[in-house]
Amino acid sequence: MSQIGTIVRGIRTPIIEEGDDLVKVVADSLEKATEENNIKFNNDDVVCVTEAVLAITQGNFATLDDIAEDIKAKFGNSHVGLVHPTPVSRNRFLNILRGIAKGVKKLTVLISPIDEVGNSLLKNFNPYVKDDNLYTPEAFSKKYGKPSHLFTGIDYVEVYQKAANNIEVVISSNPADILKYTKNIIAGTIHTRDMLKDYLISEGAEKVIKLCDILKSSVNGSGYNPDYGLLGSNMAGNNKVKLFPRDGEKFAYELQSELKKRFSVAPHVMIFGDGAFKDPVGGIWELADPVVSPGFTDGLKSASRPEAKLKNLVAQFEDLPKAEREKKIKEIIATQDKMKIDDPNRLGTTPRQLPDLLGSLADLSVGSGSKGTPIVLIQDYFKGRYS
């Protein structure tokens, strides 16, 4: 029995730029890292690559003017409402907001006191307070105090209001309140976007699009994403956004093929963005991308593999002598791959999708700043106590 379980390593790369051969960059970086540290590759290893570097090498960028032109084509020069933009963020939403505003006559932004992924306008806003009232920023501040984000202290209402001259901001947890201003709507949520669109239409909206409908195709040679549009994008300087990468699965298989040539094993490969970690202090659960992973190889296309719950097995055989108890536990674990979901020995091992689990692990490991490790190598994740 090995004394070490799962190993997670951040792998450094050179600065990655538009047009780089990312398959080669990743493979070269892994080759150097494994040689320097005497690491041996295995077929069940997982190579995780951040979505950002794939999008960068693809040149998947769009300017504010590109966003504006697409919006104008969809709504004309009209008054448009943007409902519950998610997340309330400068990096994630400010440039999107500015681009949308450039494409409309007037933009009314309806912000929720707590957005879909847990960002709150206030440090101590109570999510259990039932308040479906519609507020101007002044009225909201009078009742609850000046908006101030828990971690940054930023007043996002003020930031959004100042993003463009034709923007007005109102605050309500009820998305239908936007219909008091206009019936041309952009649904700004990520994971509830379809439900929000259906609800607004049922309440009388005339035209509703989602963020994933914007830049589904190229505008004047811009980047685009046919599946997610603007979802998963973020700021790339003052005048453009980086979009979620395209063809993630294609890249994953190309990299897997290259790694097999170099190392004679074919590790799993996945692209990852935001994990789904929920911050215990702020209540923010992070997932501002439409999915954790926009592309991965076949071996990860499943829920987490069946596992027996070790503490339950220990309790089950607690009356046996230690050596016999160990033998019984080892026999059950040896057959765990065949356990059905309702097997009592699996109780407490909630199945989840492997790309979500591994992507969240990689995201927590890589950080979001200047570590310079856009690759994460996960080893022995699938090895158990007696592997």
Side-chain angles (χ1 to χ4, degrees):
M1 179 179 71
S2 172
Q3 294 301 118
I4 298 176
T6 301
I7 302 166
V8 182
R9 294 182 175 92
I11 307 297
R12 291 206 166 91
T13 68
I15 298 293
I16 294 171
E17 300 177 316
E18 184 174 342
D20 285 349
D21 181 346
L22 189 58
V23 167
K24 184 177 186 305
V25 170
V26 173
D28 287 350
S29 299
L30 284 166
E31 194 163 24
K32 285 181 182 178
T34 53
E35 287 174 358
E36 284 177 2
N37 297 277
N38 197 28
I39 299 167
K40 182 183 177 183
F41 259 123
N42 303 291
N43 280 315
D44 243 0
D45 293 346
V46 186
V47 174
C48 308
V49 181
T50 57
E51 59 82 21
V53 293
L54 178 56
I56 288 167
T57 58
Q58 292 173 339
N60 206 20
F61 299 98
T63 66
L64 305 192
D65 287 336
D66 297 328
I67 296 172
E69 185 166 331
D70 202 3
I71 292 294
K72 201 172 289 184
K74 289 174 168 58
F75 288 106
N77 188 31
S78 62
H79 182 184
V80 173
L82 172 61
V83 179
H84 291 179
T86 304
V88 176
S89 162
R90 291 166 298 165
N91 173 49
R92 285 287 189 172
F93 218 90
L94 186 55
N95 273 1
I96 292 175
L97 182 64
R98 293 169 61 213
I100 292 171
K102 288 186 78 169
V104 301
K105 182 178 181 181
K106 182 177 181 180
L107 182 64
T108 300
V109 183
L110 180 68
I111 302 180
S112 176
I114 299 179
D115 75 17
E116 182 190 20
V117 296
N119 280 288
S120 175
L121 295 182
L122 300 170
K123 286 184 179 178
N124 298 305
F125 190 83
N126 187 341
Y128 296 105
V129 171
K130 181 69 174 173
D131 189 347
D132 287 331
N133 294 318
L134 176 63
Y135 295 96
T136 64
E138 295 74 22
F140 185 80
S141 293
K142 187 175 181 180
K143 180 168 182 177
Y144 292 110
K146 185 175 174 62
S148 179
H149 190 274
L150 174 64
F151 294 127
T152 65
I154 288 171
D155 180 346
Y156 280 99
V157 174
E158 183 179 43
V159 169
Y160 282 10
Q161 278 184 311
K162 291 181 176 179
N165 292 330
N166 61 339
I167 290 177
E168 68 173 338
V169 173
V170 290
I171 303 163
S172 174
S173 60
N174 180 6
D177 278 337
I178 195 67
L179 300 174
K180 296 173 182 176
Y181 299 87
T182 177
K183 296 187 185 301
N184 295 320
I185 314 295
I186 300 171
T189 57
I190 304 166
H191 309 291
T192 61
R193 58 190 182 271
D194 293 325
M195 291 184 287
L196 178 56
K197 178 179 179 177
D198 291 345
Y199 173 68
L200 290 168
I201 290 172
S202 73
E203 291 294 305
E206 292 175 358
K207 183 169 187 178
V208 184
I209 68 169
K210 300 167 287 185
L211 292 174
C212 59
D213 298 320
I214 305 168
L215 291 184
K216 286 176 74 77
S217 57
S218 180
V219 174
N220 297 327
S222 74
Y224 66 97
N225 191 301
D227 300 310
Y228 301 118
L230 283 177
L231 291 176
S233 63
N234 52 23
M235 184 177 282
N238 291 327
N239 194 45
K240 62 182 180 180
V241 296
K242 178 202 67 63
L243 302 172
F244 215 43
R246 305 185 301 271
D247 303 320
E249 187 172 294
K250 179 175 178 286
F251 169 80
Y253 280 110
E254 287 175 352
L255 178 56
Q256 186 184 57
S257 177
E258 178 63 22
L259 294 177
K260 188 173 183 179
K261 287 179 189 175
R262 296 198 189 198
F263 298 101
S264 300
V265 295
H268 309 288
V269 176
M270 65 177 290
I271 312 303
F272 72 97
D274 277 347
F277 166 75
K278 183 169 181 177
D279 185 87
V281 175
I284 301 165
W285 59 280
E286 181 68 15
L287 187 54
D289 289 326
V291 291
V292 172
S293 175
F296 44 85
T297 49
D298 269 344
L300 302 179
K301 290 182 179 178
S302 65
S304 49
R305 298 175 184 179
E307 288 182 288
K309 191 74 171 179
L310 192 57
K311 71 178 180 65
N312 291 348
L313 296 182
V314 171
Q316 184 178 336
F317 301 112
E318 62 184 351
D319 294 332
L320 295 178
K322 184 175 181 180
E324 192 174 344
R325 181 172 69 236
E326 186 95 355
K327 181 182 177 184
K328 289 281 189 183
I329 291 172
K330 190 172 182 179
E331 287 172 353
I332 291 176
I333 290 176
T335 65
Q336 66 184 9
D337 284 348
K338 298 176 183 177
M339 287 180 180
K340 294 182 178 179
I341 191 67
D342 59 349
D343 191 310
N345 288 320
R346 285 188 67 181
L347 186 64
T349 59
T350 307
R352 294 183 175 89
Q353 295 301 305
L354 283 172
D356 296 337
L357 291 168
L358 292 162
S360 296
L361 174 59
D363 186 38
L364 287 170
S365 305
V366 79
S368 58
S370 56
K371 283 187 178 180
T373 56
I375 308 165
V376 176
L377 174 61
I378 302 174
Q379 295 190 295
D380 293 346
Y381 183 83
F382 301 105
K383 278 190 176 180
R385 182 179 179 86
Y386 299 107
S387 298

